Amino acid sequence: MEKIGFIGLGRMGKPMAANLARKGFALVVLDLNPVAVGELVELGASAGSSVAQIARDCSIVVTMLPSSVEVEALALGADGIFVNAKPGSVLLDMSTIDPLATDRLQAEAVKHGLSVVDAPVGRLAEHADRGESLFMVGASNADFARVRPLLDAMGTTVYHCGGVGSGGRTKLVNNYVAVTLCQVNAEALALSQRFGLDITKTLQVLYGTSANNGQLRMNFPNKVLAGDTSPGFTIDLAHKDMSLIVTAAHAARVPMPVAAAVHESFSLARASDYGGIDFSGIADVICDLARIDKPRTPAGWMVGQA
Ligand code: NAD
């Protein structure tokens, strides 16, 4: 059985690694946070001593790190993954990073006889907890087949989008829509609150028309509308993704004025110390700015109820 290294046990990486451990994969884990490592050891994983040791011992190394900075540092560092990995090994990066960084990683990997698969993760953190994530994968056919058992153990839906780099590019397209929907919902709910409308009636109407959307349906009811703004997916990470999206759009000469506006709205939220809350909490940010009561549904209210 291939030994799997897993680096980055945060809000997403921890449940993903846990699903691998529970399903019997031979796992070696690493994170700056020893508590997260301890939780994986309880599930049968072994604690890695360093990036170098994981790269030497594991033929597939998964990274689930915040951004391109961390992934490039760990992969390309002087005692990092690429200089230590055995030829034929695969870096399976599941973080959301700059696709140009993925291209650079792949070019460097080839020089070491290695390869890269980019497989960023769709859906919410709660889906990762339940092993119900969606993965969009950029890989050669052979590497896709090799990592597929891992993806099937962590999620329910896997799309092979094309060659290396196509997973991350698909993810940017997806997150442009998801983060922008948060912003649009936030503005709409603030207006509803200002009008003094019954929030449950407003939601009923939105859920019943073409105004309905995935964020309003899947994320808002359990998070900001229920008064739970613990992340989930932080405003900081949503801002990072909007930065990637705006930069990619500039480079590709695609005009995305709405993306630029949403990016700056999330900049404003971070400047007001909201960076660590769930991205649905952008609704609270807009309401705070306008001195409007935050949108909250009554305790126990469920989607579809009056
Ligand atoms: P997180 O901040 O909760 O976790 C990142 C983890 O990486 C932390 O545990 C941190 O200690 C660890 N880490 C950072 N630098 C490290 C290093 N040098 N060595 C070892 N460990 C290191 O972030 P997250 O929410 O788990 O997101 C991870 C990635 O997945 C991001 O790129 C994010 O955009 C993407 N993503 C997140 C969600 C979500 O809902 N949270 C959904 C899809 C995709």
Side-chain angles (χ1 to χ4, degrees):
M1 183 192 281
E2 291 203 272
K3 223 178 196 181
I4 313 297
F6 202 116
I7 308 177
L9 305 171
R11 180 62 191 89
M12 292 295 284
K14 193 168 71 176
M16 289 161 61
N19 276 309
L20 290 176
R22 284 194 203 99
K23 289 171 188 170
F25 286 85
L27 208 58
V28 188
V29 298
L30 191 72
D31 195 284
L32 301 176
N33 173 10
V35 177
V37 172
E39 287 180 43
L40 262 296
V41 169
E42 296 260 298
L43 292 174
S46 35
S49 56
S50 66
V51 172
Q53 177 246 325
I54 287 192
R56 279 193 300 271
D57 291 356
C58 301
S59 51
I60 298 179
V61 179
V62 184
T63 43
M64 192 54 174
L65 295 162
S67 73
S68 319
V69 175
E70 293 83 8
V71 178
E72 288 198 288
L74 264 59
L76 305 173
D79 202 17
I81 297 168
F82 285 0
V83 293
N84 286 291
K86 287 191 203 77
S89 301
V90 175
L91 169 62
L92 171 56
D93 178 40
M94 306 193 72
S95 331
T96 306
I97 70 168
D98 181 354
L100 295 175
T102 303
D103 295 347
R104 287 194 293 276
L105 287 169
Q106 167 66 4
E108 202 54 37
V110 168
K111 295 181 196 165
H112 295 268
L114 310 167
S115 56
V116 171
V117 172
D118 55 313
V121 185
R123 301 185 180 146
L124 303 167
E126 64 187 70
H127 295 103
D129 295 341
R130 299 194 296 262
E132 294 173 0
S133 293
L134 174 153
F135 304 111
M136 44 212 113
V137 187
S140 67
N141 288 337
D143 283 339
F144 179 69
R146 191 159 162 203
V147 301
R148 181 83 202 237
L150 278 74
L151 302 177
D152 286 339
M154 295 185 279
T156 54
T157 314
V158 181
Y159 292 112
H160 188 185
C161 298
V164 181
S166 61
R169 288 180 168 87
T170 307
K171 175 69 176 169
L172 293 194
V173 173
N174 179 79
N175 276 25
Y176 165 62
V177 177
V179 176
T180 298
L181 286 175
C182 278
Q183 176 72 26
V184 170
N185 293 336
E187 294 174 15
L189 293 175
L191 188 62
S192 172
Q193 293 289 92
R194 176 72 96 215
F195 285 164
L197 298 175
D198 176 341
I199 183 96
T200 64
K201 297 289 179 209
T202 296
L203 288 167
Q204 242 189 333
V205 169
L206 295 177
Y207 290 133
T209 73
S210 62
N212 200 0
N213 63 73
Q215 277 297 319
L216 199 63
R217 195 166 40 82
M218 291 164 68
N219 197 27
F220 275 52
N222 301 323
K223 300 303 294 181
V224 69
L225 291 173
D228 176 7
T229 54
S230 65
F233 182 58
T234 59
I235 282 182
D236 278 339
L237 287 174
H239 178 269
K240 179 256 310 180
D241 287 358
M242 292 310 299
S243 304
L244 294 175
I245 290 155
V246 169
T247 305
H250 287 167
R253 288 188 291 154
V254 175
M256 295 181 72
V258 173
V262 174
H263 187 209
E264 287 315 309
S265 175
F266 277 70
S267 292
L268 206 139
R270 299 178 79 216
S272 322
D273 285 339
Y274 282 104
I277 69 170
D278 189 72
F279 69 151
S280 63
I282 195 73
D284 285 358
V285 178
I286 304 283
C287 287
D288 271 0
L289 271 173
R291 308 218 187 295
I292 303 169
D293 285 345
K294 293 171 178 163
R296 296 289 184 266
T297 48
W301 185 81
M302 307 255 288
V303 175
Q305 278 183 347

